[in-house]
Amino acid sequence: MRITVISGGQAGARFVRGLLDRLPHAPDPAELTVIANTGDDLSLWGLRACPDIDGLLAELSDDPVSASSAVAGELAALDVHPQWYPVTDGEVATHLARTAWLGQGATLSEVTARLAERRGLPRRGVRVLPMSDVPVETHAVLDGEHEQQAVHVQQWRHELGAPPAARFVVAGMDRSVAAPGVLDALREADLVLLAPAD
């Protein structure tokens, strides 16, 4: 059976993990493809972060990423901003690798495949695809005292506590296209699931 899941956020990652744990294995394993939201991606400290992809890779891995936070503590001690985005040392290593590979010309799909391989996902019959290789970022537009202000949805969520927004704007959506394999995964699936969001 070929199953495709469209997923974003930690709730989506937990859903996919629960699904994976209940799928049949040998002799007739299911093929699971997860299309990850990249609309929450952002650049921090010169590094490219993909929260939903990284959440999926961490949740589905049997080799957990380091949860220590020495780097975050040192950034705070050095007064490096922003400080509202929670990050572990393992996540910083992932952001460093992703940024380096993207800088060398790899696509986000290729980078995600490398990270998934490192986490052992292909051995479990799992493939993680970004929804697009084109950078897409979601911004919340907030009403200010005199004018509206757009902030990245991660800042809106983590620093500001998700206040009411006038609207949301998805920058880059007008030029984005589905990443390689995404449309085939949807067309060829026996079952397509939409995972819950946070």
Side-chain angles (χ1 to χ4, degrees):
M1 175 178 281
R2 295 178 180 174
I3 301 172
T4 296
V5 182
I6 301 171
S7 176
Q10 288 304 309
R14 289 190 295 270
F15 173 86
V16 175
R17 177 63 191 233
L19 175 64
L20 181 62
D21 289 345
R22 286 161 182 78
L23 288 177
H25 299 289
D28 188 23
E31 295 177 18
L32 179 61
T33 299
V34 186
I35 301 169
N37 171 49
T38 60
D40 286 1
D41 293 4
L42 72 164
S43 294
L44 294 167
W45 317 296
L47 304 177
R48 192 63 179 164
C50 299
D52 292 348
I53 290 175
D54 294 343
L56 278 164
L57 296 177
E59 187 70 38
L60 300 178
S61 174
D62 288 328
D63 180 19
V65 174
S66 170
S68 63
S69 55
V71 171
E74 189 65 16
L75 287 170
L78 294 169
D79 199 29
V80 176
H81 293 271
Q83 295 180 2
W84 46 259
Y85 189 75
V87 66
T88 67
D89 294 351
E91 289 168 338
V92 171
T94 297
H95 302 337
L96 281 165
R98 176 184 294 113
T99 304
W101 292 333
L102 289 172
Q104 293 165 5
T107 65
L108 184 58
S109 293
E110 292 166 340
V111 169
T112 302
R114 290 183 197 179
L115 294 170
E117 179 70 36
R118 166 68 179 90
R119 300 279 168 242
L121 272 58
R123 292 191 302 274
R124 303 189 69 195
V126 180
R127 181 173 59 147
V128 177
L129 304 175
M131 68 180 197
S132 178
D133 282 337
V134 177
V136 176
E137 293 188 5
T138 305
H139 297 259
V141 179
L142 307 177
D143 288 323
E145 188 174 329
H146 301 292
E147 60 183 18
Q148 291 185 326
Q149 176 189 13
V151 298
H152 194 282
V153 72
Q154 293 291 341
Q155 182 181 7
W156 171 78
R157 181 180 298 125
H158 292 291
E159 182 182 35
L160 304 178
R167 67 185 184 280
F168 291 90
V169 177
V170 185
M173 186 61 80
D174 57 333
R175 62 182 183 277
S176 69
V177 295
V182 166
L183 297 180
D184 287 341
L186 292 169
R187 282 191 288 255
E188 297 170 3
D190 298 303
L191 182 64
V192 176
L193 300 172
L194 181 60
D198 293 328

